[in-house]
Amino acid sequence: MQLLQAQIPSSDSFAHAAWRRVLAPCFIILFILCTPGCQTLKDRGSEARREDELLNTQKNLVIGYINQGQPNMALRELRPLLTKHPEDADFKNLMGLTYLSLQNPKMALGFFEDSHRLQPRASVALNLSSAYIETKQFAKAMKTLKDLRNSPAGKEYQYPERILHNIGLCAERMDKWKIAEKYYKLAIEINPYYYLSLMRLGQLYERMRNTEFAVREYQRARDACMKCFDPVHALVTQWVAKGEVQKSMTLIQEYLADKELDAADRLRARKLMASTTRSDPKNIIHAQNGRVRPTRTGTN
C-alpha cells in the first residue's frame, strides 16, 4: 500500500502569529501598566503555542497509525479528538483516510466533504476525489479533479502526478481506456518512479492484451519499489505463461534476498516460488490470495 500523508499545518506559523498579536500591544501597555499585564498576555501566547503543538503531535500520531496499516488504532485516537475539535479540517481529513484504509469509502466521503468545506486544500480535494471514485460517483470525481487541476491550489500542489493518476483511474473505471492510458502516462512523465501509475498502466495493457507493454511497465514498477511484491507477482505471471520459468525463479530469488521485506510479502513470495516450481500458471494467479492491487487512488 502506498504511504498515506496529510498536509498538517506547521505549528510555527500559528505560534509566530500569536506572539506578534501579543507583543504589539504589550509594548504600549508596558508604559502604562508596567510588566504584570504584559506577562499575562505572554502566558496566553505560550498556552496557545503549546496547544497547537499538542494538536500537531496528535495528528502525526494518527498519520503514523495509518501509514503503518493500523487504521483501527487511528480510529480509536480520532474519535475523542473529533468530539473535542469538531471543526478541525485536519482531523476530518484523517478520519476520511482512516475509513478509506478500512475499506469503507462511504463513511470516508462525508469526512472528506466536511474537511474540504472547512479548508479547501489541494490534498483534501484529491482525497475527496478518491472517495468519489471508490463509491462509483465518477462524474463528481472527474469534476473535482479537473477543477483541482485548473485551480491555483492544484497548480501549486507538489504532487501533480497524484491528480493525474486519479483522473486516469476514474477514466479506467468508466471503461475509457485510451483516456486512462493518457493520464497514467502524464503522471509517469512528471514522476517516472510513480509506482501506482506504473502498476495501473501495466494492468491496463493486460486488459488491452498488450503483454509486451504490460511487462515493460511492471519492470519499471519493480525498479520504482524494490520491496513491493505486486510487480514481482505480475512479472512472474506473465513470464510463466510464456514458459520462462527460470527467469521467473531468478526474479523471486532476487526479491527474497532482500532482508528487509515485510513478513507477509515474504510469505507470498515463497508461495509464488512454490507454484512457479510446479510451472502451473493457474496456481500462480492465486498465489497471493488475490490479484494485484494497484487500483489504489492517489491519496494524501
Side-chain angles (χ1 to χ4, degrees), residues 22 37 65 68 118 136 161 224 269:
V22 167
Y65 284 138
Q68 293 161 18
L118 291 166
K136 299 183 179 181
E161 65 270 22

Side-chain angles (χ1 to χ4, degrees), residues 6 18 26 65 74 85 100 114 253 277:
C26 190
Y65 284 138
H85 307 280
L100 276 187
D114 287 346
Q253 288 166 352
T277 303

Side-chain angles (χ1 to χ4, degrees), residues 68-93:
Q68 293 161 18
Q70 300 182 65
N72 287 330
M73 293 294 292
L75 189 63
R76 190 180 73 175
E77 292 291 330
L78 279 169
R79 281 174 170 162
L81 288 169
L82 261 178
T83 300
K84 187 176 180 181
H85 307 280
E87 295 299 301
D88 189 295
D90 291 325
F91 284 137
K92 296 276 190 182
N93 183 47

Side-chain angles (χ1 to χ4, degrees), residues 183-207:
Y183 280 98
Y184 290 145
K185 284 183 173 180
L186 285 173
I188 295 166
E189 280 181 21
I190 291 174
N191 181 356
Y193 291 95
Y194 189 50
Y195 174 79
L196 287 183
S197 286
L198 290 167
M199 282 300 298
R200 194 64 245 159
L201 186 57
Q203 280 213 322
L204 183 64
Y205 284 137
E206 273 200 64
R207 294 177 70 187

Side-chain angles (χ1 to χ4, degrees), residues 20-262:
R20 282 195 298 271
R21 289 194 297 272
V22 167
L23 291 178
C26 190
F27 287 116
I28 299 172
I29 294 170
L30 180 66
F31 293 98
I32 303 171
L33 302 177
C34 200
T35 56
C38 182
Q39 184 63 47
T40 300
L41 291 174
K42 285 185 179 180
D43 290 343
R44 289 174 184 169
S46 298
E47 289 176 8
R49 181 173 58 185
R50 285 195 296 270
E51 183 178 351
D52 192 58
E53 289 173 350
L54 176 60
L55 283 175
N56 281 336
T57 299
Q58 291 168 324
K59 291 170 185 178
N60 285 326
L61 176 64
V62 172
I63 291 169
Y65 284 138
I66 296 171
N67 288 342
Q68 293 161 18
Q70 300 182 65
N72 287 330
M73 293 294 292
L75 189 63
R76 190 180 73 175
E77 292 291 330
L78 279 169
R79 281 174 170 162
L81 288 169
L82 261 178
T83 300
K84 187 176 180 181
H85 307 280
E87 295 299 301
D88 189 295
D90 291 325
F91 284 137
K92 296 276 190 182
N93 183 47
L94 289 171
M95 186 64 94
L97 288 171
T98 298
Y99 275 113
L100 276 187
S101 298
L102 290 167
Q103 307 294 316
N104 192 338
K106 289 183 179 179
M107 285 292 291
L109 182 58
F111 288 105
F112 287 140
E113 288 176 334
D114 287 346
S115 180
H116 194 254
R117 172 182 54 80
L118 291 166
Q119 207 170 87
R121 293 171 299 179
S123 57
V124 178
L126 179 65
N127 294 341
L128 177 59
S129 76
S130 297
Y132 281 138
I133 292 171
E134 295 304 319
T135 54
K136 299 183 179 181
Q137 299 183 62
F138 302 125
K140 286 185 177 181
M142 196 65 82
K143 183 180 186 306
T144 299
L145 288 162
K146 289 186 174 180
D147 287 348
L148 172 60
R149 193 182 180 203
N150 294 326
S151 70
K155 293 180 188 300
E156 295 173 3
Y157 185 51
Q158 59 182 325
Y159 303 112
E161 65 270 22
R162 297 178 181 179
I163 301 173
L164 294 167
H165 175 84
N166 273 20
I167 294 175
L169 181 59
C170 188
E172 185 181 354
R173 293 284 183 86
M174 298 168 72
D175 290 328
K176 297 180 179 181
W177 292 358
K178 286 297 181 182
I179 296 175
E181 180 186 18
K182 170 187 172 181
Y183 280 98
Y184 290 145
K185 284 183 173 180
L186 285 173
I188 295 166
E189 280 181 21
I190 291 174
N191 181 356
Y193 291 95
Y194 189 50
Y195 174 79
L196 287 183
S197 286
L198 290 167
M199 282 300 298
R200 194 64 245 159
L201 186 57
Q203 280 213 322
L204 183 64
Y205 284 137
E206 273 200 64
R207 294 177 70 187
M208 293 177 172
R209 301 186 183 282
N210 190 334
T211 56
E212 181 181 350
F213 281 19
V215 167
R216 181 191 67 191
E217 299 307 323
Y218 291 145
Q219 287 175 322
R220 292 172 69 187
R222 162 76 174 144
D223 291 338
C225 184
M226 299 297 288
K227 289 181 172 59
C228 294
F229 175 71
D230 287 346
V232 173
H233 179 269
L235 286 167
V236 169
T237 300
Q238 292 295 318
W239 289 338
V240 171
K242 294 179 181 180
E244 298 177 302
V245 176
Q246 187 54 52
K247 189 175 182 180
S248 301
M249 291 292 291
T250 300
L251 176 60
I252 300 170
Q253 288 166 352
E254 289 176 354
Y255 180 71
L256 285 170
D258 189 334
K259 296 180 179 179
E260 297 182 358
L261 287 182
D262 178 80

